[in-house]
Amino acid sequence: MESFPSPATKKRRIPKACSACRRSKLKCDGGKPCARCRTANLYCDFIKPITDPVTEKLSQLEAQMEALRNRVPDTTTAATLLELQHQVDQRGQSENRASQSYSHQFQQQQLRENEYTSPVSMSVSTHSHPSQPHPETAFSQPHLFSQSPRTEYDIITLKRKRAGFELNVEGSVDVVAKGIISLADAQMYFGAFFQGCDKYVPVFDPRYDTFESVRERSSMLFDVICAVGCRAECGPGSDQFQSLSNATKAPICDVILGTVPKSTEIIQALLINAGYSEKGWLLTSMAARMALDLDLPDSYTKLSALSFDSGGDERDKLEEERLMRESRVWFGTFILENILSIDCGKKPGIKASSGAGMRRCRVLLGHPNRTALDFRMLSQVELNSIRALAHERLSPPMGMTFSDDEMSEIVQETRIDLSVWLSDWMNLVDSNVENEEDRASLRINLQIQRHWAEMTMLCKGLQGMGIENVAIMTDPQRNLIHLAKASAHRHLSILISNPSLYLATLRYGMDFVWAKCAFSVLLLLKLARLIPSSTNMSSLIADAKTLLAELSKVRGSSNIYFRILCLSVEKCEKALNGDLDQNMDASMNGVDAEMDFQSYVPKEFILEWNFPGLTFCWDFQDLFMDFGTGF
């Protein structure tokens, strides 16, 4: 029998450098962490390259063929070798065929191997098809606009075998291709998302993130945009939204399992899911981890450097546009991660190294690709760095409390920072935003965010001191209650000052925005009852009812926080009516109504969020003795 030439043994190079050293093309000592990463204070990880299953299979077959040469071939073995050699030739000719045919042939070959009792092998050319991406490239590079949907070959390269098990990887198909919604509905929901939902997740460029572009680049991002747009268009209780929401769950699992390549589109999808679903803090942490893996903070650094470069027309405009998009996604991740951490009672996973460093993000406002929403986003970057710092300062070590002077100093400094922030951004908006409606909307949003940050900071400080009974508070501590009440009152006044610019957009808002709205009114009503001096309760309740009326116009009745707000106003009004009634029996009912209102603390504000201030109270004996003088 004709002998087959022995193939040359291939020396496989096993990469031992960490990711950072490989990117920098520097020698790595292989330490965990390595010396360079320790010196530069970088995250050091060793990513094992994903083995191409086809190459791995060919290596196994080559080893089997070598073992077969050392045996005396019988008729059956010779026939088998000839058959396999014929199949090798056919494989080489059909390598350019459709991926479905390739997969079928690969599976058939595996079935045949299980039928043979003797080891067999074959020699196959390992040249990959020029149109197929290298497995490492698929993982390390973000999706491009021109990227086509993943083929079955790409799916195979993502599989990893673990002791007889492998990850179940399926092709990504969007909700239109699955038949869940029609193309016309998808276009309508996509448009609804960019009419208002993008204001709450400002990580998009409408000139780049078009319907066709997003659908081509990422089915996961396309699906979640359609789902949230359907939520705004049809309501969160609609059957259509429920179907689309269920369709977005499997891609999240794929991200957790690591069976999809990391990209900015995946991060955008995670941020949208985080904003419009429960446990958003978990998804924002995943998005932050992926953003760091893709080194998106470095895109901001590079873009900032280019902003001061005098290269003129020689600068790569496409590269700058990419850096701007990645910087936007990074800052959007930073904002949402901070918001959903601070207001959920969790320490932020990402923090600014310094407040001055965060102010440098303003340089992006001069970029030709900036949008009106970038003013909203970048202002939030600065605001949340201030909030995170205040949150950290107001969280003393366990077993320790602040003195009145220490607390007053922190509060005063934070209030100054918030006032400077508001003044700066009001001027930036007035001088740079030409559209009158955008300018007015941004101004209202800035004021609302400022007063929200102040009222929660003040209540957080008092809560951290461990004193909730107003009757035993010192004068400086009661002063903080007065300041929080004033901030909450201004917050409500701005909310109802121009409903079309803010409240009308809550149709597109996430539950967190509704929760803030309901909490701020309930906090104001409670503080006004605790400190009744110079407070017109009837006027406050009238303003709260005005707010309810405006929210009902944007399908608020289906939102749980709208119902919480209704109940809050109802309980407060009963307590007020009990004070005004001079009848003795009715007065006793008023005592019950007051106790019912003061003890009302919705579990959503304690368990799902961590909003402070609702548990402040008076000793009840003093409470009802003093209320008669305030109305």
Side-chain angles (χ1 to χ4, degrees):
M1 179 179 175
E2 181 181 358
S3 62
F4 295 91
S6 176
T9 303
K10 297 181 180 179
K11 183 179 179 181
R12 298 187 179 277
R13 181 177 178 271
I14 302 176
K16 296 181 179 179
C18 68
S19 300
C21 291
R22 292 183 68 187
R23 283 196 302 267
S24 304
K25 294 183 173 56
L26 297 173
K27 185 176 180 180
C28 180
D29 61 7
K32 296 184 180 180
C34 70
R36 293 184 184 277
C37 289
R38 276 200 311 274
T39 303
N41 196 23
L42 297 175
Y43 178 75
C44 186
D45 62 338
F46 291 76
I47 301 176
K48 182 180 179 180
I50 299 172
T51 306
D52 184 353
V54 176
T55 305
E56 183 180 6
K57 187 62 184 176
L58 294 180
S59 299
Q60 294 174 0
L61 292 174
E62 287 174 356
Q64 292 172 359
M65 189 172 182
E66 183 64 25
L68 191 60
R69 288 195 195 93
N70 299 326
R71 300 181 52 184
V72 178
D74 53 18
T75 305
T76 303
T77 304
T80 301
L81 284 172
L82 289 174
E83 180 184 356
L84 290 177
Q85 187 64 48
H86 179 65
Q87 291 173 5
V88 172
D89 296 336
Q90 288 182 337
R91 183 187 292 264
Q93 295 172 2
S94 62
E95 213 171 19
N96 293 329
R97 294 177 188 171
S99 58
Q100 183 175 1
S101 300
Y102 171 85
S103 177
H104 177 73
Q105 182 182 2
F106 186 77
Q107 294 172 359
Q108 291 298 320
Q109 178 61 30
Q110 287 183 318
L111 291 175
R112 286 195 195 92
E113 289 173 358
N114 294 332
E115 296 174 357
Y116 297 140
T117 57
S118 61
V120 288
S121 62
M122 60 181 175
S123 177
V124 182
S125 173
T126 57
H127 294 293
S128 60
H129 193 282
S131 64
Q132 303 295 354
H134 191 277
E136 290 184 0
T137 305
F139 273 82
S140 60
Q141 297 296 330
H143 287 294
L144 301 177
F145 175 80
S146 59
Q147 180 178 353
S148 60
R150 280 191 290 151
T151 64
E152 192 166 347
Y153 180 88
D154 299 320
I155 297 170
I156 292 174
T157 62
L158 292 173
K159 290 189 176 181
R160 300 172 175 83
K161 291 187 178 181
R162 293 290 186 272
F165 297 90
E166 65 179 25
L167 297 179
N168 185 19
V169 184
E170 297 181 356
S172 55
V173 181
D174 61 52
V175 290
V176 176
K178 291 178 181 176
I180 298 177
I181 56 174
S182 65
L183 182 63
D185 284 343
Q187 291 173 332
M188 177 177 65
Y189 299 150
F190 193 93
F193 179 90
F194 282 97
Q195 286 176 3
C197 300
D198 58 330
K199 292 182 179 180
Y200 298 97
V201 192
V203 293
F204 297 95
D205 183 346
R207 293 163 296 191
Y208 179 76
D209 296 307
T210 62
F211 181 88
E212 293 79 9
S213 169
V214 172
R215 188 181 183 194
E216 183 178 5
R217 286 184 283 129
S218 172
S219 61
M220 180 179 179
L221 178 58
F222 179 80
D223 290 354
V224 71
I225 288 177
C226 290
V228 173
C230 177
R231 181 183 188 273
E233 195 69 25
C234 306
S238 64
D239 293 339
Q240 186 74 279
F241 170 68
Q242 295 300 325
S243 298
L244 290 172
S245 179
N246 288 334
T248 63
K249 294 177 181 178
I252 296 177
C253 295
D254 292 338
V255 173
I256 296 174
L257 290 172
T259 59
V260 294
K262 299 174 183 178
S263 68
T264 54
E265 287 80 8
I266 299 299
I267 298 173
Q268 289 172 310
L270 288 174
L271 294 179
I272 298 174
N273 271 304
Y276 290 90
S277 62
E278 296 181 356
K279 308 300 180 185
W281 54 268
L282 177 62
L283 295 178
T284 54
S285 297
M286 292 168 53
R289 177 67 265 173
M290 187 176 292
L292 292 172
D293 288 343
L294 294 176
D295 207 10
L296 295 193
D298 189 56
S299 297
Y300 162 60
T301 303
K302 292 178 180 177
L303 187 61
S304 299
L306 288 174
S307 300
F308 298 98
D309 186 10
S310 58
D313 296 335
E314 297 179 0
R315 286 158 52 174
D316 189 341
K317 300 300 181 183
L318 292 178
E319 176 68 7
E320 279 196 47
E321 291 175 3
R322 181 187 66 81
L323 292 174
M324 183 65 181
R325 290 193 299 270
E326 292 181 353
S327 300
R328 186 182 289 118
V329 171
W330 166 245
F331 282 128
T333 304
F334 171 84
I335 293 168
L336 205 56
E337 199 278 335
N338 270 253
I339 289 176
L340 296 183
S341 294
I342 294 173
D343 291 308
C344 286
K346 183 177 77 73
K347 185 178 180 179
I350 309 172
K351 71 173 184 178
S353 57
S354 67
M358 286 296 96
R359 290 189 56 177
R360 296 190 192 106
C361 70
R362 299 181 185 184
V363 71
L364 301 185
L365 296 176
H367 196 275
N369 291 103
R370 63 115 164 119
T371 66
L373 287 183
D374 287 336
F375 285 87
R376 185 183 185 118
M377 178 190 69
L378 296 175
S379 66
Q380 288 282 316
V381 171
E382 288 188 32
L383 176 63
N384 281 282
S385 64
I386 295 173
R387 291 191 67 203
L389 178 60
H391 182 275
E392 184 177 356
R393 296 179 68 188
L394 292 171
S395 301
M398 187 175 297
M400 295 182 61
T401 57
F402 292 116
S403 66
D404 287 348
D405 291 340
E406 291 173 330
M407 177 60 65
S408 298
E409 181 182 356
I410 296 173
V411 166
Q412 183 66 15
E413 290 176 356
T414 304
R415 294 185 71 213
I416 291 174
D417 289 341
L418 291 173
S419 297
V420 172
W421 170 84
L422 179 62
S423 176
D424 284 355
W425 279 96
M426 283 288 204
N427 292 332
L428 286 169
V429 168
D430 289 341
S431 58
N432 291 280
V433 180
E434 297 178 357
N435 184 280
E436 184 176 351
E437 183 177 350
D438 288 341
R439 185 166 60 250
S441 177
L442 286 168
R443 286 179 62 88
I444 285 182
N445 182 264
L446 289 171
Q447 295 175 73
I448 289 173
Q449 297 303 326
R450 188 252 191 243
H451 295 308
W452 167 262
E454 182 171 277
M455 80 170 87
T456 53
M457 179 269 297
L458 292 165
C459 292
K460 169 70 177 177
L462 281 171
Q463 192 177 63
M465 299 183 76
I467 302 175
E468 295 184 339
N469 188 354
V470 180
I472 62 174
M473 287 184 179
T474 62
D475 289 340
Q477 291 167 356
R478 287 194 188 185
N479 182 54
L480 299 184
I481 291 283
H482 282 280
L483 292 175
K485 173 186 164 185
S487 293
H489 197 177
R490 288 192 293 269
H491 187 271
L492 175 59
S493 299
I494 296 170
L495 283 177
I496 62 177
S497 63
N498 196 333
S500 62
L501 288 178
Y502 186 82
L503 295 179
T505 65
L506 261 65
R507 166 190 174 187
Y508 306 99
M510 55 187 71
D511 282 347
F512 171 69
V513 180
W514 285 82
K516 287 171 55 179
C517 187
F519 165 78
S520 62
V521 175
L522 177 56
L523 177 67
L524 172 60
L525 295 176
K526 283 202 168 195
L527 295 183
R529 295 292 289 168
L530 289 175
I531 308 177
S533 59
S534 69
T535 301
N536 188 334
M537 286 300 303
S538 298
S539 176
L540 283 183
I541 291 177
D543 288 345
K545 289 183 175 180
T546 299
L547 176 62
L548 285 170
E550 292 297 333
L551 293 177
S552 65
K553 297 177 183 178
V554 289
R555 290 197 295 268
S557 56
S558 62
N559 190 287
I560 185 174
Y561 296 106
F562 178 87
R563 296 193 291 271
I564 288 175
L565 180 56
C566 286
L567 190 56
S568 302
V569 175
E570 179 184 335
K571 288 178 179 292
C572 185
E573 193 169 24
K574 286 182 179 179
L576 176 61
N577 291 336
D579 289 335
L580 299 178
D581 199 325
Q582 300 300 318
N583 183 278
M584 180 62 68
D585 294 336
S587 178
M588 293 305 295
N589 291 333
V591 171
D592 293 338
E594 185 63 45
M595 292 182 65
D596 181 52
F597 174 61
Q598 289 296 337
S599 62
Y600 179 55
V601 180
K603 64 179 182 180
E604 288 80 5
F605 294 154
I606 302 298
L607 301 179
E608 186 170 351
W609 310 106
N610 191 33
F611 297 151
L614 294 182
T615 54
F616 294 145
C617 64
W618 275 85
D619 180 85
F620 282 110
Q621 293 182 352
D622 296 334
L623 179 64
F624 299 115
M625 289 173 59
D626 294 343
F627 272 159
T629 61
F631 305 96

